[in-house]
Amino acid sequence: MMSFLWPSCWSSGFTTTNRMFGLVHAPVESSGVFRYMSSAFRGRLGSAASSRERTLNFFQNRVVLTSVRWMTPLKAFICIHPLIDTVCQFNSYTCGERLGEKIDHSLWSALCLIKNPSVIRQAHEDFYAAGARVAITASYQAHLDGFRELGVEEPEALAAMKRSVQLAREVAPLGGLVAGSLGAYGASLHNGAEYTGEYPGMDRAKLLEWHRPRALALREARCDLFACETVPCLMEAEALSQLVAELKHPAWITFSCKSHTQVSSGEPIADCVRAVAENPWIVGAGVNCTHPKFVKSLVEICRAQLPPEKSVVVYPNSGEVWNGTSHSWETGTATADSQFVDMAQEWYRSGASCIGGCCRTTPRTIKALAAGTFTR
């Protein structure tokens, strides 16, 4: 389960620019006064928003939205403190250690979509209670071959993927978003390939076809955006960007990284971000499931490659190392929550506009982030 803060702001559909609050014009159409309200507040007025509208409102109208909790304009709130939003994704800590589920399978947490959906709902609820505003679904390793291993055929497998959106939606707070997780192809291999980018026999066209059924299921379930995550190589980033443009659905793309400058395949992250930066359906790009010590430099590179109206998205893991052979985390390497927050403040100052935690972070991590003070 991953978590984020979104302290920076995005533009409305109009051409007005407010640099003080980080507002810049984005290439989307305005749909009237209702674009100046959170989806939750509009819902109280009886306005039905599409997933795209909810997403664009969340990312692009941060300054002019209405805070559900305080019912005051966020423009005034941001003057005092950056807006903090946490995003949660169903992770190994929550289901494996805290909620007692065994997920050592090529489906990982998606196994629970078939065997125990209630544990997923509980996980989302726990992270929301800690301050989350966006849920990332438990579809990270959901793929047709993995379901077939359990004797689950395609129709039921696609229904399970859709269920991942529904479970998050059931416990989402007013104004909350649900991001449909499209984990890297390498995660389905169950050998740590999402941290190496070694994809024997695959090319861009094959990756596009592999991801398409998953993306269609999540879109049909009305996820607000795609979370294309733990992408280890340029080839897969290009395939996902092409798919997002084809489906015309908002998304972010985040990379797993092996150093201060490289994604897991060894390719420069600058090249990877540049390849997706101009796609109008990509609302942000950055880093996830990466050691926190690399993030500051990676943020600076991402910020330099993205248009100013797009977010740098970062949600590193706790710093522990995944052993793809033993299918276990190497202990003794975790970053304390207090240190994680201190580092997150550096990432924010370096240009990150969406900050959170990936594997082995917990609701306590999110609560600590939500309580932090972030200033530039």
Side-chain angles (χ1 to χ4, degrees):
M1 215 160 274
M2 302 163 201
S3 314
F4 293 86
L5 4 149
W6 260 281
S8 72
C9 312
W10 287 53
S11 75
S12 70
F14 296 97
T15 57
T16 305
T17 298
N18 184 337
R19 295 288 179 182
M20 179 180 296
F21 298 106
L23 286 180
V24 289
H25 175 62
V28 294
E29 69 276 10
S30 169
S31 58
V33 68
F34 280 60
R35 294 191 57 80
Y36 284 92
M37 305 178 188
S38 69
S39 58
F41 191 66
R42 286 185 300 149
R44 295 182 182 186
L45 299 180
S47 172
S50 68
S51 292
R52 182 170 184 268
E53 288 173 330
R54 283 196 299 271
T55 302
L56 293 176
N57 273 307
F58 191 91
F59 279 92
Q60 295 169 327
N61 298 323
R62 304 307 294 156
V63 161
V64 289
L65 296 182
T66 301
S67 166
V68 175
R69 183 172 180 182
W70 291 281
M71 295 307 294
T72 58
L74 291 183
K75 185 171 183 178
F77 180 61
I78 293 171
C79 290
I80 303 169
H81 190 284
L83 176 66
I84 295 176
D85 289 287
T86 25
V87 178
C88 64
Q89 190 242 22
F90 196 66
N91 70 12
S92 58
Y93 167 81
T94 302
C95 57
E97 297 176 14
R98 188 166 179 269
L99 299 179
E101 288 297 313
K102 305 249 182 231
I103 55 171
D104 186 11
H105 186 272
S106 67
L107 288 173
W108 199 46
S109 57
L111 187 64
C112 298
L113 293 171
I114 297 291
K115 293 188 173 294
N116 191 0
S118 65
V119 78
I120 297 175
R121 186 188 299 106
Q122 182 63 56
H124 286 311
E125 193 167 15
D126 290 348
F127 275 82
Y128 275 133
R133 291 286 305 278
V134 181
I136 303 180
T137 61
S139 54
Y140 174 77
Q141 280 180 224
H143 59 106
L144 297 179
D145 289 339
F147 283 110
R148 289 191 190 102
E149 292 174 17
L150 301 176
V152 177
E153 294 304 317
E154 185 169 330
E156 188 180 351
L158 294 175
M161 296 178 196
K162 295 176 183 179
R163 190 176 304 125
S164 73
V165 177
Q166 297 160 0
L167 291 167
R169 188 77 73 194
E170 287 173 4
V171 294
L174 289 174
L177 295 185
V178 174
S181 176
L182 291 174
Y185 165 75
S188 73
L189 301 178
H190 203 42
N191 64 1
E194 68 270 43
Y195 304 113
T196 65
E198 296 177 3
Y199 290 180
M202 295 299 285
D203 57 25
R204 178 172 165 176
K206 290 178 181 177
L207 286 169
L208 185 66
E209 293 306 311
W210 187 84
H211 280 292
R212 183 179 283 112
R214 314 162 72 215
L216 284 169
L218 294 172
R219 189 183 69 167
E220 289 173 13
R222 300 182 65 81
C223 70
D224 295 302
L225 73 161
F226 297 133
C228 305
E229 50 188 354
T230 326
V231 178
C233 59
L234 175 60
M235 177 176 66
E236 188 163 26
E238 291 174 334
L240 285 164
S241 181
Q242 181 178 340
L243 179 60
V244 165
E246 172 191 313
L247 298 182
K248 294 181 171 57
H249 199 73
W252 73 61
I253 295 182
T254 51
F255 298 89
S256 65
C257 297
K258 64 186 292 185
S259 75
H260 295 89
T261 60
Q262 298 170 305
V263 299
S264 293
S265 64
E267 296 162 302
I269 191 172
D271 293 349
C272 296
V273 174
R274 192 182 305 119
V276 305
E278 298 303 325
N279 184 333
W281 293 95
I282 302 294
V283 299
V287 178
N288 81 289
C289 217
T290 294
H291 198 293
K293 68 182 180 183
F294 298 139
V295 173
K296 182 177 184 294
S297 173
L298 294 165
V299 166
E300 293 168 350
I301 295 170
C302 292
R303 183 68 278 163
Q305 300 302 321
L306 286 169
E309 71 272 13
K310 296 196 175 187
S311 283
V312 176
V313 182
V314 295
Y315 48 113
N317 58 35
S318 68
E320 292 170 89
V321 177
W322 175 252
N323 187 316
T325 302
S326 65
H327 299 165
S328 62
W329 292 95
E330 297 178 4
T331 59
T333 56
T335 304
D337 289 343
S338 59
Q339 184 182 1
F340 195 95
V341 173
D342 290 342
M343 298 172 82
Q345 291 167 341
E346 291 185 356
W347 308 334
Y348 175 61
R349 287 191 291 269
S350 297
S353 44
C354 171
I355 302 172
C358 192
C359 289
R360 307 289 280 186
T361 58
T362 72
R364 292 190 302 274
T365 312
I366 303 318
K367 188 174 182 179
L369 282 171
T373 300
F374 292 81
T375 58
R376 283 197 171 117

